[in-house]
Amino acid sequence: MPVSYKHIAPFFSAGQNRVSRWFSYIGLGVGVLLLLCSIQMYININHLLKDRNPKTDGFDYISVTKIITNENMAEDHSFSEAEIKELKGQSFISDATPLMANKFLVKATGGSALPFTTDLFLESIDNSFIDTIPADFTWREGQDVLPVIMASDYLELYNTVFAPSKDLPQFSAKSISAVMVQIECYAANGEVYIFKGHVVGLSDRINSVLVPPNFLDWANKKFGNSKKLNPARIFIKTKDANSPELLSFLQQKNYSINKDKSKFGRIKQVLQAIVSGLSGFGILVILLAMMLFSFYLQLMIARSKDNLQLLLTLGYSPKWLSRTVAKRWVPVYTIIVLSALAATMLFQYYFQHFAMKGREELSMIIHWSVAVVAMLLLALSILINYKMVSKLVHKL
Amino acid sequence: MAVFLIATYEYHLTKNIALFFNQEQQTISDVWKQDVIFNKAEQVHIVAPSGSGKTSLIHFLYGLRKDYEGSILYNNNNIKDFDAEKFAQWRQQHISIVFQDLRLFTEQTVLQNLEVKRVLAPYHTESKITDMAKRLGIESKLGKLCKTCSYGEQQRIAIIRSLLQPFDFLLLDEPFSHLDEANRMKAMELMNEEAAARNASIILADLKQIDYFKADRVLVV
């Protein structure tokens, strides 16, 4: 019969210190449970708050501006070349392009069919950022028809607010293209240039009145009185508008974005911070439990010191002794970690089933990474325990 | 002096082995500052008065202490170079000992004391423990706590314990100090039998020469 722990068990006096031993077991269980639940919640949050915005090509397009506050109202809020370059350089931003605006006075009138006049603004952006580009969204110098892409929201506002109040006709998305609006550009010297504005498309993505970039370049040079041509709005293209990295970068730079697009990101940021804090707390509890257990081990080995020394004198190997003593706790650690894992599974089931009312994007079973972390924690506990015992035995 | 054991199992104590203390007394010794070889199967009696370093020598030979000059070689390997694992393996297979201070687990039963040694490198079956205990008259004590046994009984427990493992050398440090003549002879007989069965050597250190130990060599320390 090979020698085993059973043969040396009577030589350990372990009994007196039950309280600290049980406290360390409970501490370890609670710590592991906290950590596993936090990881699972982190994954849940990611699943629940992902893809809340419709994406046409897998990207979110968001307009970025500088935050205007009471203190900085008087400052320039346009983006410099370097700032645009910096935006482009971020790993979480796939592309960035400025929205150029008109630097001269523009007015729109409807002519006899649509008796209204309004001040207007024009913007242009790189075509790749526009969701729908009609073939006729082009302009050449000398051309008096100016193609315009208008935000669909504006058409809605016109139809629901502007047209009824002025007794003007309403237009569908299709019929708007038939309407020609007169666009008057006022040069610095008072000269007026008139173009025939033609709505060639509607955009869900960009809230603006867009004209071809080459037109705006030309017009700003021809009619503009300002040398400053830096854009005040930048459009960015990103894989995830809710990415915490993007949000914290923008926050840090004092840039503002469409809150609707990123509100889940902000919630996610806060929730993830809470959950990360909870994991940190879990790790702390595990460390405290291990420390308590190490005190218990030290006390146990100190109490059995004479016996252990005699066992070594009689020919027991320190390595065998450490391994055999440490092995005694393998089933204990296994039970603790597996119980915590089972509790996490139960928690996930109840969370999905009751708290989240069975939402499909959430799984009823835990994520595989949680099980992997549990196994790693088990291996780590066993290893640390062995190292602690071995150190104490070799010190004898 | 240096002791060494080579392939044929021997201790070789090199010439300059000496205690760090009591150097004057060692000048007239057969062991200290001498070149001594203990061969396997050889029965060696070390006779030494109190304070001459007898127990120190036994502890040096068992590797418990290293505070000596010179070298003790076992099979040409300096035992000072052994690490804890090597000592463990060596003490399981090659060297056995009866300490002068016995070193028993006093809070455990006699049987637990013997069994913990036997299972480490089983040379005998469990029933052999009862046989030996019967021969030395302590059979009735096997289930008793060690601390309740007399010193003489404890001495016999330590002797039986030393015989439960394989060994090439059996080191005895005043093993009979608390035994009467009849028990001494029984114990010596048992040890001789066990050593012969293993073709092993007995190195017996005592205050005076013991007649019933048939030594091949007597060294005066």
Side-chain angles (χ1 to χ4, degrees):
Chain A
M1 182 180 53
V3 61
S4 65
Y5 181 75
K6 178 179 86 164
H7 297 105
I8 55 164
F11 304 94
F12 285 93
S13 62
Q16 303 306 309
N17 221 14
R18 286 211 182 102
V19 177
S20 71
R21 191 177 60 190
W22 278 102
F23 263 116
S24 72
Y25 292 165
I26 293 166
L28 184 67
V30 170
V32 172
L33 180 64
L34 265 176
L35 188 63
L36 296 184
C37 282
S38 309
I39 297 168
Q40 184 57 52
M41 275 312 284
Y42 197 92
I43 293 163
N44 286 349
I45 291 165
N46 267 339
H47 275 272
L48 286 170
L49 301 181
K50 204 167 74 178
D51 288 329
R52 309 302 296 176
N53 298 305
K55 293 181 190 176
T56 45
D57 53 359
F59 288 100
D60 282 318
Y61 292 84
I62 320 164
S63 143
V64 178
T65 55
K66 289 188 174 174
I67 295 174
I68 299 173
T69 61
N70 288 348
E71 289 72 34
N72 71 6
M73 274 183 342
E75 292 168 16
D76 176 19
H77 293 100
S78 62
F79 288 87
S80 66
E81 279 294 324
E83 284 168 330
I84 298 170
K85 211 170 157 192
E86 190 191 11
L87 273 168
K88 279 185 181 176
Q90 302 306 314
S91 59
F92 38 82
I93 295 175
S94 308
D95 201 0
T97 197
L99 256 172
M100 303 304 293
N102 57 303
K103 304 290 178 192
F104 52 90
L105 179 66
V106 184
K107 285 186 177 187
T109 60
S112 54
L114 288 169
F116 78 93
T117 303
T118 179
D119 277 355
L120 191 65
F121 65 89
L122 299 173
E123 284 184 302
S124 74
I125 192 167
D126 190 277
N127 282 357
S128 64
F129 276 70
I130 303 174
D131 39 355
T132 42
I133 297 275
D136 49 0
F137 188 63
T138 54
W139 182 85
R140 281 191 329 269
E141 207 173 326
Q143 182 180 318
D144 62 347
V145 174
L146 181 63
V148 170
I149 293 178
M150 195 169 78
S152 351
D153 285 353
Y154 291 0
L155 177 63
E156 195 183 321
L157 280 174
Y158 168 81
N159 279 335
T160 54
V161 184
F162 198 75
S165 68
K166 298 224 171 213
D167 210 17
L168 294 170
Q170 291 171 314
F171 300 101
S172 70
K174 273 193 176 165
S175 59
I176 188 78
S177 59
V179 179
M180 281 283 182
V181 179
Q182 217 164 276
I183 294 177
E184 300 166 2
C185 301
Y186 291 81
N189 58 11
E191 270 185 86
V192 184
Y193 289 77
I194 296 171
F195 296 90
K196 291 174 188 160
H198 178 209
V199 179
V200 294
L202 296 171
S203 169
D204 290 327
R205 188 182 291 165
I206 304 172
N207 264 349
S208 186
V209 180
L210 296 172
V211 292
N214 63 333
F215 168 77
L216 204 61
D217 284 350
W218 170 83
N220 273 340
K221 273 179 210 149
K222 190 157 179 72
F223 315 128
N225 53 3
S226 163
K227 289 222 161 84
K228 280 176 21 189
L229 288 173
N230 283 346
R233 277 217 284 176
I234 304 289
F235 243 74
I236 59 165
K237 179 178 169 186
T238 174
K239 277 274 181 207
D240 183 9
N242 291 317
S243 123
E245 292 98 330
L246 172 68
L247 294 178
S248 47
F249 170 77
L250 296 174
Q251 219 162 9
Q252 179 207 331
K253 302 299 288 183
N254 229 10
Y255 293 164
S256 143
I257 61 166
N258 185 337
K259 294 278 193 298
D260 272 357
K261 292 221 171 184
S262 66
K263 75 174 173 200
F264 285 109
R266 285 173 204 282
I267 294 168
K268 197 153 96 175
Q269 237 180 345
V270 173
L271 286 178
Q272 282 179 346
I274 293 170
V275 169
S276 302
L278 217 57
S279 330
F281 185 65
I283 291 169
L284 197 72
V285 173
I286 292 173
L287 286 178
L288 285 175
M290 291 309 275
M291 259 171 71
L292 192 62
F293 190 72
S294 120
F295 292 143
Y296 160 73
L297 270 183
Q298 279 177 35
L299 207 63
M300 186 193 85
I301 286 178
R303 278 202 179 127
S304 320
K305 192 179 168 192
D306 292 344
N307 282 356
L308 284 170
Q309 265 171 344
L310 186 50
L311 285 173
L312 293 175
T313 306
L314 291 180
Y316 275 83
S317 126
K319 201 188 270 175
W320 180 88
L321 215 51
S322 316
R323 221 176 22 222
T324 310
V325 173
K327 248 199 256 174
R328 211 188 126 196
W329 281 284
V330 171
V332 180
Y333 282 142
T334 309
I335 290 169
I336 291 172
V337 174
L338 288 185
S339 305
L341 189 65
T344 311
M345 284 176 178
L346 210 63
F347 161 81
Q348 177 66 3
Y349 173 78
Y350 280 103
F351 182 73
Q352 197 271 350
H353 205 69
F354 296 109
M356 288 290 121
K357 314 262 186 261
R359 281 171 72 153
E360 277 173 12
E361 63 265 46
L362 214 58
S363 169
M364 258 162 68
I365 51 169
I366 54 166
H367 193 256
W368 60 267
S369 61
V370 178
V372 169
V373 170
M375 292 305 117
L376 284 176
L377 281 176
L378 178 60
L380 203 67
S381 313
I382 291 169
L383 184 74
I384 291 173
N385 183 41
Y386 170 71
K387 290 276 173 205
M388 285 196 299
V389 174
S390 173
K391 200 174 156 196
L392 290 168
V393 168
H394 278 89
K395 255 197 227 168
L396 289 171
Chain B
M1 151 185 117
V3 187
F4 65 158
L5 282 143
I6 50 178
T8 51
Y9 296 111
E10 61 177 19
Y11 267 117
H12 183 182
L13 292 83
T14 60
K15 203 168 185 172
N16 57 343
I17 193 160
L19 287 166
F20 285 145
F21 55 91
N22 209 358
Q23 301 244 352
E24 272 174 33
Q25 196 182 341
Q26 294 165 29
T27 52
I28 49 156
S29 167
D30 284 343
V31 177
W32 304 124
K33 299 196 175 175
Q34 306 299 319
D35 201 25
V36 186
I37 294 176
F38 300 138
N39 294 300
K40 189 176 171 179
E42 184 188 23
Q43 312 308 312
V44 181
H45 196 348
I46 294 169
V47 181
S50 294
S52 57
K54 167 178 50 68
T55 297
S56 300
L57 175 66
I58 294 292
H59 284 186
F60 294 163
L61 292 175
Y62 195 63
L64 281 187
R65 284 171 54 185
K66 293 180 174 175
D67 51 338
Y68 53 86
E69 293 169 5
S71 321
I72 297 175
L73 308 176
Y74 184 89
N75 276 355
N76 259 352
N77 298 311
N78 192 333
I79 66 167
K80 263 189 185 172
D81 299 334
F82 287 7
D83 62 11
E85 291 302 317
K86 175 77 182 158
F87 265 125
Q89 191 268 336
W90 188 56
R91 288 170 186 166
Q92 283 173 27
Q93 299 294 335
H94 300 288
I95 306 291
S96 195
I97 191 166
V98 176
F99 291 106
Q100 189 184 20
D101 56 357
L102 306 180
R103 304 200 181 188
L104 297 168
F105 299 100
T106 51
E107 297 295 327
Q108 268 65 49
T109 66
V110 173
L111 188 61
Q112 279 174 330
N113 265 276
L114 298 173
E115 195 57 9
V116 77
K117 182 65 178 167
R118 190 191 69 79
V119 293
L120 187 58
Y123 181 82
H124 286 306
T125 58
E126 204 176 339
S127 62
K128 186 73 179 177
I129 291 178
T130 319
D131 293 347
M132 288 185 180
K134 207 181 281 178
R135 276 184 70 175
L136 298 192
I138 54 164
E139 190 197 3
S140 61
K141 300 288 175 185
L142 286 175
K144 299 273 176 357
L145 285 183
C146 212
K147 64 181 177 189
T148 63
C149 296
S150 71
Y151 202 85
E153 286 163 344
Q154 289 188 13
Q155 215 156 27
R156 280 172 277 173
I157 297 164
I159 289 170
I160 295 174
R161 184 177 69 182
S162 72
L163 302 176
L164 294 172
Q165 65 165 93
F167 59 80
D168 299 309
F169 288 85
L170 176 61
L171 307 174
L172 305 173
D173 188 6
E174 292 190 48
F176 311 128
S177 58
H178 285 71
L179 297 183
D180 58 33
E181 199 66 12
N183 274 317
R184 287 180 180 201
M185 295 188 61
K186 277 187 208 166
M188 194 68 245
E189 193 183 51
L190 181 61
M191 287 192 283
N192 280 334
E193 275 172 31
E194 292 294 324
R198 294 165 175 85
N199 194 30
S201 169
I202 294 177
I203 299 173
L204 191 156
D206 218 315
L207 295 169
K208 55 183 192 224
Q209 197 161 343
I210 293 170
D211 301 334
Y212 44 82
F213 177 50
K214 303 295 175 217
D216 298 319
R217 225 170 0 141
V218 177
L219 300 172
V220 179
V221 176

